[in-house]
Structure formats: structure tokens, C-alpha cells
Coordinates of all heavy atoms in Angstrom, one line a residue:
G809 N 184.7 135.9 166.3 CA 184.0 136.7 167.2 C 182.8 136.0 167.8 O 182.0 136.6 168.5
E810 N 182.7 134.7 167.6 CA 181.5 134.0 168.1 C 181.9 133.3 169.4 O 183.1 133.0 169.7 CB 181.0 132.9 167.1 CG 180.5 133.5 165.8 CD 179.3 134.4 166.0 OE1 178.5 134.0 166.9 OE2 179.2 135.4 165.3
V811 N 180.9 133.0 170.2 CA 181.1 132.3 171.5 C 180.3 131.0 171.5 O 179.2 130.9 171.0 CB 180.5 133.1 172.7 CG1 180.6 132.4 174.0 CG2 181.2 134.5 172.8
F812 N 181.0 129.9 171.9 CA 180.3 128.6 172.1 C 180.8 127.9 173.3 O 181.9 128.3 173.8 CB 180.4 127.8 170.8 CG 181.9 127.4 170.5 CD1 182.4 126.2 170.9 CD2 182.7 128.2 169.7 CE1 183.7 125.8 170.6 CE2 184.0 127.8 169.4 CZ 184.5 126.6 169.9
G813 N 180.1 127.0 173.8 CA 180.5 126.3 175.0 C 180.1 126.9 176.3 O 180.7 126.7 177.3
W814 N 179.1 127.8 176.2 CA 178.7 128.6 177.4 C 178.0 127.7 178.4 O 177.7 128.2 179.5 CB 177.9 129.8 177.0 CG 176.8 129.6 176.0 CD1 176.8 129.8 174.7 CD2 175.5 129.1 176.3 NE1 175.6 129.5 174.1 CE2 174.8 129.1 175.1 CE3 174.8 128.7 177.5 CZ2 173.5 128.6 175.0 CZ3 173.5 128.3 177.4 CH2 172.8 128.3 176.2
A815 N 177.7 126.5 178.1 CA 177.0 125.6 179.0 C 177.8 125.4 180.3 O 177.2 125.1 181.3 CB 176.6 124.2 178.4
A816 N 179.1 125.6 180.2 CA 179.9 125.4 181.4 C 179.6 126.5 182.5 O 179.9 126.3 183.6 CB 181.4 125.6 181.0
L817 N 178.9 127.6 182.1 CA 178.5 128.6 183.0 C 177.1 128.5 183.5 O 176.6 129.4 184.2 CB 178.7 130.0 182.3 CG 180.2 130.3 182.0 CD1 180.2 131.7 181.3 CD2 181.1 130.3 183.2
T818 N 176.4 127.4 183.1 CA 175.1 127.2 183.6 C 175.1 126.0 184.5 O 175.0 124.8 184.0 CB 174.1 127.0 182.5 OG1 174.6 126.0 181.6 CG2 173.9 128.3 181.7
P819 N 175.3 126.2 185.8 CA 175.6 125.0 186.7 C 174.4 124.0 186.8 O 174.7 122.8 187.0 CB 175.8 125.7 188.1 CG 175.3 127.1 188.0 CD 175.3 127.4 186.5
S820 N 173.2 124.4 186.6 CA 172.1 123.4 186.7 C 172.0 122.5 185.4 O 171.4 121.5 185.5 CB 170.8 124.1 186.9 OG 170.5 125.0 185.8
C821 N 172.7 122.9 184.3 CA 172.6 122.1 183.1 C 173.8 122.2 182.3 O 174.1 123.2 181.7 CB 171.4 122.5 182.3 SG 171.2 121.6 180.8
K822 N 174.6 121.1 182.3 CA 175.8 121.2 181.5 C 175.7 120.4 180.2 O 176.7 120.0 179.6 CB 177.0 120.6 182.4 CG 177.3 121.5 183.6 CD 178.6 121.2 184.1 CE 178.9 122.0 185.4 NZ 179.3 123.3 185.2
L823 N 174.5 120.2 179.8 CA 174.2 119.5 178.5 C 174.8 120.3 177.4 O 174.5 121.4 177.2 CB 172.7 119.3 178.4 CG 172.2 118.6 177.1 CD1 172.7 117.2 177.1 CD2 170.7 118.7 177.0
R824 N 175.5 119.6 176.5 CA 176.0 120.2 175.3 C 174.9 120.1 174.2 O 174.5 119.0 173.9 CB 177.3 119.6 174.8 CG 178.4 119.6 175.9 CD 178.8 121.0 176.2 NE 180.0 121.1 177.0 CZ 180.1 121.5 178.2 NH1 179.0 122.0 178.8 NH2 181.2 121.6 178.9
I825 N 174.6 121.2 173.6 CA 173.5 121.2 172.6 C 173.9 121.5 171.2 O 173.1 121.6 170.3 CB 172.3 122.2 173.0 CG1 172.9 123.6 173.1 CG2 171.7 121.7 174.3 CD1 171.8 124.7 173.4
G826 N 175.2 121.6 171.0 CA 175.7 121.9 169.6 C 177.1 121.6 169.5 O 177.8 121.3 170.4
T827 N 177.6 121.8 168.3 CA 179.0 121.7 167.9 C 179.4 122.9 167.1 O 178.6 123.6 166.6 CB 179.3 120.4 167.1 OG1 178.5 120.5 165.9 CG2 178.9 119.1 167.9
A828 N 180.7 123.0 166.9 CA 181.3 124.1 166.1 C 182.3 123.5 165.1 O 183.0 122.6 165.5 CB 181.9 125.2 167.0
S829 N 182.3 124.1 163.9 CA 183.2 123.7 162.9 C 183.7 125.0 162.3 O 183.0 125.9 162.1 CB 182.6 122.8 161.8 OG 182.1 121.7 162.4
C830 N 185.0 125.0 161.9 CA 185.6 126.1 161.2 C 185.8 125.8 159.8 O 186.3 124.8 159.4 CB 186.9 126.5 161.9 SG 186.8 126.9 163.6
V831 N 185.4 126.7 158.9 CA 185.6 126.5 157.5 C 186.8 127.3 157.0 O 187.2 127.1 155.8 CB 184.3 126.9 156.7 CG1 183.2 125.9 157.0 CG2 183.9 128.3 156.9
T832 N 187.3 128.1 157.8 CA 188.6 128.9 157.5 C 189.5 128.8 158.7 O 189.1 128.5 159.8 CB 188.2 130.4 157.2 OG1 187.7 131.0 158.3 CG2 187.3 130.5 156.0
P833 N 190.8 129.1 158.5 CA 191.7 129.1 159.6 C 191.2 130.1 160.7 O 190.7 131.1 160.4 CB 193.0 129.5 159.0 CG 192.9 129.2 157.6 CD 191.5 129.4 157.2
C834 N 191.4 129.7 161.9 CA 190.9 130.5 163.0 C 191.8 130.3 164.3 O 192.5 129.3 164.3 CB 189.5 130.4 163.3 SG 189.1 128.7 164.0
S835 N 191.6 131.1 165.2 CA 192.2 131.0 166.6 C 191.1 130.8 167.6 O 190.0 131.4 167.5 CB 193.1 132.2 166.9 OG 194.1 132.3 166.0
L836 N 191.3 130.1 168.6 CA 190.4 129.9 169.7 C 191.0 130.2 171.0 O 192.2 130.1 171.2 CB 189.9 128.4 169.8 CG 189.3 127.8 168.6 CD1 189.0 126.3 168.8 CD2 187.9 128.5 168.3
L837 N 190.1 130.7 171.9 CA 190.5 130.9 173.3 C 189.7 130.0 174.2 O 188.5 130.0 174.2 CB 190.2 132.4 173.7 CG 190.4 132.8 175.1 CD1 191.9 132.6 175.5 CD2 190.0 134.2 175.4
S838 N 190.4 129.1 174.8 CA 189.8 128.1 175.7 C 189.8 128.6 177.1 O 190.9 129.0 177.6 CB 190.5 126.8 175.6 OG 189.9 125.9 176.5
I839 N 188.7 128.7 177.8 CA 188.6 129.1 179.2 C 188.0 128.0 180.0 O 187.0 127.4 179.7 CB 187.7 130.4 179.3 CG1 188.3 131.5 178.5 CG2 187.5 130.8 180.7 CD1 187.4 132.7 178.3
D840 N 188.7 127.7 181.1 CA 188.2 126.6 182.0 C 187.0 127.1 182.7 O 187.0 128.1 183.5 CB 189.4 126.3 183.0 CG 189.0 125.2 184.0 OD1 187.9 125.3 184.6 OD2 189.8 124.3 184.1
G841 N 185.8 126.5 182.5 CA 184.6 126.9 183.0 C 184.5 126.9 184.5 O 184.0 127.8 185.2
E842 N 185.1 125.9 185.2 CA 185.1 125.8 186.6 C 185.9 126.9 187.2 O 185.5 127.5 188.2 CB 185.6 124.4 187.1 CG 184.6 123.3 186.8 CD 185.1 121.9 187.3 OE1 186.1 121.9 188.1 OE2 184.5 120.9 186.9
R843 N 187.1 127.2 186.6 CA 187.9 128.2 187.2 C 187.3 129.6 187.0 O 187.3 130.5 187.8 CB 189.3 128.2 186.6 CG 190.1 127.0 187.0 CD 191.4 126.9 186.5 NE 192.3 127.9 187.0 CZ 193.5 128.2 186.6 NH1 194.0 127.4 185.6 NH2 194.2 129.1 187.1
L844 N 186.6 129.8 185.8 CA 185.9 131.1 185.6 C 184.8 131.3 186.6 O 184.6 132.3 187.1 CB 185.4 131.2 184.2 CG 184.6 132.4 183.8 CD1 185.4 133.7 184.1 CD2 184.2 132.4 182.4
T845 N 184.0 130.2 186.8 CA 182.9 130.2 187.8 C 183.5 130.6 189.2 O 182.9 131.4 189.9 CB 182.2 128.9 187.8 OG1 181.6 128.7 186.5 CG2 181.0 128.9 188.8
A846 N 184.6 130.0 189.6 CA 185.2 130.3 190.9 C 185.6 131.8 190.9 O 185.4 132.5 191.9 CB 186.4 129.4 191.1
L847 N 186.2 132.3 189.8 CA 186.6 133.7 189.8 C 185.4 134.6 189.9 O 185.4 135.6 190.6 CB 187.3 134.0 188.5 CG 187.7 135.5 188.2 CD1 188.7 135.9 189.3 CD2 188.3 135.6 186.8
M848 N 184.3 134.2 189.2 CA 183.0 135.1 189.3 C 182.5 135.0 190.7 O 181.9 136.0 191.2 CB 182.0 134.6 188.3 CG 182.5 134.8 186.9 SD 181.2 134.4 185.6 CE 180.5 132.9 186.1
E849 N 182.6 133.9 191.5 CA 182.2 133.9 192.9 C 183.0 134.8 193.7 O 182.5 135.4 194.6 CB 182.3 132.4 193.4 CG 181.2 131.5 192.9 CD 179.9 131.8 193.5 OE1 179.8 132.3 194.6 OE2 178.9 131.4 192.9
Q850 N 184.3 134.9 193.4 CA 185.2 135.7 194.2 C 185.0 137.2 193.9 O 185.1 138.0 194.8 CB 186.7 135.3 193.9 CG 187.1 134.0 194.4 CD 188.5 133.6 194.0 OE1 189.2 134.4 193.3 NE2 188.9 132.4 194.3
D851 N 184.8 137.5 192.7 CA 184.7 138.9 192.2 C 183.3 139.1 191.6 O 183.1 138.8 190.4 CB 185.8 139.3 191.3 CG 185.8 140.8 190.9 OD1 184.7 141.4 190.9 OD2 186.9 141.3 190.6
H852 N 182.3 139.5 192.3 CA 181.0 139.6 191.8 C 180.8 140.6 190.7 O 179.9 140.5 189.8 CB 180.0 139.9 192.9 CG 179.9 138.8 193.9 ND1 179.3 138.9 195.1 CD2 180.4 137.5 193.9 CE1 179.4 137.8 195.8 NE2 180.1 136.9 195.1
S853 N 181.7 141.6 190.6 CA 181.7 142.5 189.4 C 182.0 141.8 188.1 O 181.3 142.0 187.1 CB 182.7 143.7 189.6 OG 182.3 144.5 190.7
I854 N 183.0 141.0 188.2 CA 183.3 140.2 187.0 C 182.1 139.2 186.7 O 181.7 139.1 185.5 CB 184.6 139.4 187.2 CG1 185.8 140.3 187.2 CG2 184.8 138.3 186.1 CD1 187.1 139.7 187.5
G855 N 181.6 138.6 187.7 CA 180.5 137.6 187.6 C 179.3 138.3 186.9 O 178.7 137.7 186.0
Y856 N 179.0 139.5 187.4 CA 177.8 140.2 186.8 C 178.1 140.5 185.3 O 177.2 140.3 184.5 CB 177.6 141.5 187.6 CG 176.5 142.3 187.0 CD1 175.1 142.0 187.3 CD2 176.7 143.4 186.2 CE1 174.1 142.7 186.8 CE2 175.7 144.2 185.7 CZ 174.4 143.8 186.0 OH 173.3 144.5 185.5
R857 N 179.3 141.0 185.0 CA 179.5 141.4 183.6 C 179.5 140.1 182.7 O 178.9 140.2 181.6 CB 180.9 142.0 183.5 CG 181.1 143.4 184.1 CD 180.4 144.5 183.4 NE 180.8 144.6 182.0 CZ 181.7 145.4 181.5 NH1 182.4 146.2 182.3 NH2 182.0 145.4 180.2
V858 N 180.1 139.0 183.1 CA 180.1 137.8 182.3 C 178.7 137.3 182.1 O 178.3 137.0 181.0 CB 181.0 136.7 182.9 CG1 180.8 135.4 182.2 CG2 182.5 137.2 182.9
M859 N 177.9 137.2 183.2 CA 176.6 136.7 183.1 C 175.6 137.6 182.3 O 174.7 137.2 181.7 CB 176.0 136.4 184.5 CG 176.8 135.3 185.2 SD 177.0 133.8 184.3 CE 175.4 133.0 184.4
S860 N 175.9 138.9 182.4 CA 175.1 139.9 181.6 C 175.3 139.6 180.1 O 174.4 139.6 179.3 CB 175.4 141.3 181.9 OG 175.0 141.6 183.2
Q861 N 176.6 139.4 179.7 CA 176.9 139.1 178.4 C 176.4 137.8 177.9 O 175.9 137.6 176.8 CB 178.4 139.2 178.1 CG 179.0 140.5 178.3 CD 178.6 141.5 177.2 OE1 177.6 142.2 177.4 NE2 179.2 141.5 176.1
L862 N 176.4 136.8 178.8 CA 175.9 135.5 178.5 C 174.4 135.6 178.3 O 173.8 135.0 177.4 CB 176.2 134.5 179.7 CG 175.7 133.1 179.5 CD1 176.2 132.4 178.2 CD2 176.0 132.2 180.7
N863 N 173.7 136.4 179.1 CA 172.3 136.6 179.0 C 171.9 137.2 177.6 O 171.0 136.7 176.9 CB 171.7 137.5 180.1 CG 170.3 137.7 180.0 OD1 169.5 136.8 179.7 ND2 169.8 138.9 180.3
R864 N 172.7 138.1 177.1 CA 172.5 138.7 175.8 C 172.7 137.7 174.7 O 172.0 137.6 173.7 CB 173.5 139.9 175.6 CG 173.1 141.1 176.4 CD 174.0 142.3 176.0 NE 173.7 143.4 177.0 CZ 174.6 144.1 177.6 NH1 175.8 143.9 177.3 NH2 174.2 145.1 178.4
L865 N 173.8 136.9 174.9 CA 174.0 135.8 173.9 C 172.9 134.8 173.8 O 172.4 134.5 172.7 CB 175.3 135.1 174.3 CG 175.7 133.9 173.4 CD1 176.1 134.2 172.0 CD2 176.8 133.1 174.1
I866 N 172.4 134.4 174.9 CA 171.3 133.4 174.9 C 170.0 134.0 174.4 O 169.3 133.4 173.6 CB 171.1 132.8 176.3 CG1 172.3 132.0 176.8 CG2 169.8 131.9 176.4 CD1 172.3 131.6 178.2
T867 N 169.7 135.2 174.8 CA 168.5 135.9 174.4 C 168.6 136.1 172.9 O 167.6 135.9 172.1 CB 168.4 137.2 175.1 OG1 168.3 137.0 176.5 CG2 167.1 138.0 174.6
G868 N 169.7 136.5 172.3 CA 169.9 136.7 170.9 C 169.7 135.4 170.1 O 169.1 135.4 169.1
T869 N 170.3 134.4 170.7 CA 170.2 133.1 170.0 C 168.7 132.6 170.0 O 168.3 132.1 168.9 CB 171.1 132.0 170.7 OG1 172.4 132.5 170.7 CG2 171.0 130.7 170.1
L870 N 168.1 132.7 171.1 CA 166.7 132.3 171.1 C 165.8 133.1 170.2 O 164.9 132.6 169.5 CB 166.1 132.3 172.6 CG 166.7 131.3 173.5 CD1 166.2 131.5 174.9 CD2 166.5 129.9 173.0
T871 N 166.0 134.4 170.2 CA 165.2 135.3 169.3 C 165.5 135.0 167.9 O 164.5 134.9 167.1 CB 165.6 136.8 169.6 OG1 165.4 137.1 171.0 CG2 164.9 137.8 168.8
S872 N 166.7 134.7 167.5 CA 167.0 134.3 166.1 C 166.3 133.0 165.7 O 165.8 132.8 164.7 CB 168.5 134.2 165.9 OG 169.1 135.5 166.1
F873 N 166.4 132.1 166.7 CA 165.8 130.8 166.4 C 164.3 130.9 166.2 O 163.7 130.3 165.3 CB 166.1 129.8 167.6 CG 165.5 128.5 167.5 CD1 166.0 127.5 166.6 CD2 164.4 128.1 168.2 CE1 165.4 126.3 166.5 CE2 163.8 126.8 168.1 CZ 164.3 125.9 167.2
V874 N 163.6 131.6 167.1 CA 162.1 131.8 167.0 C 161.8 132.6 165.7 O 160.8 132.3 165.1 CB 161.6 132.5 168.3 CG1 160.1 132.9 168.1 CG2 161.7 131.6 169.5
G875 N 162.6 133.6 165.4 CA 162.3 134.4 164.2 C 162.6 133.7 162.9 O 162.1 134.1 161.8
G876 N 163.3 132.6 163.0 CA 163.5 131.8 161.8 C 164.7 132.3 161.0 O 165.0 132.3 160.0

């Protein structure tokens, strides 16, 4: 249920700041960042929803980091 690799959706900075490792068997869903960005440009409703969720993810990550 975790998300990683969201840097593909931040056009001004594509710097990778972390890695992910799985300690148990899992499944992944890989999404092409450039194609998703193009889709969000075409359909602003999708773009708004995706970016709203991304905003929550980043805000939650930063809040957790600051809170220790």
C-alpha cells in the first residue's frame, strides 16, 4: 500500500532521494511517469486528483520526518 518513485511527477526536480526494499514477497505496479503526466495534461480532473494525493503523501512524509 505504499507509494514510491513520485519524483517522476515533479517536473522541476527528478532527483531520486530514496530506495525501496521488500522484506516479504510483494507485487508492484509500475506507471510510466511521462505518460501519466501527459494524461494529467489531457484530463485535468485526473491531474487534480493525482496531484492532490501526491500532496498528501509528501505532506505526510515531511510531517513524519519533522516529528521524528
Side-chain angles (χ1 to χ4, degrees):
E810 297 295 324
V811 175
F812 63 94
W814 49 263
L817 297 177
T818 54
S820 63
C821 181
K822 296 200 184 277
L823 176 67
R824 303 297 189 243
I825 58 173
T827 60
S829 299
C830 300
V831 295
T832 61
C834 67
S835 297
L836 299 174
L837 173 63
S838 175
I839 299 173
D840 184 306
E842 289 181 16
R843 290 180 69 186
L844 178 57
T845 301
L847 177 62
M848 294 188 317
E849 286 286 336
Q850 291 173 3
D851 185 332
H852 294 170
S853 294
I854 290 173
Y856 178 79
R857 294 286 306 265
V858 170
M859 295 311 282
S860 292
Q861 292 295 91
L862 180 60
N863 182 38
R864 287 186 188 136
L865 172 70
I866 294 171
T867 301
T869 300
L870 292 175
T871 301
S872 294
F873 179 73
V874 170

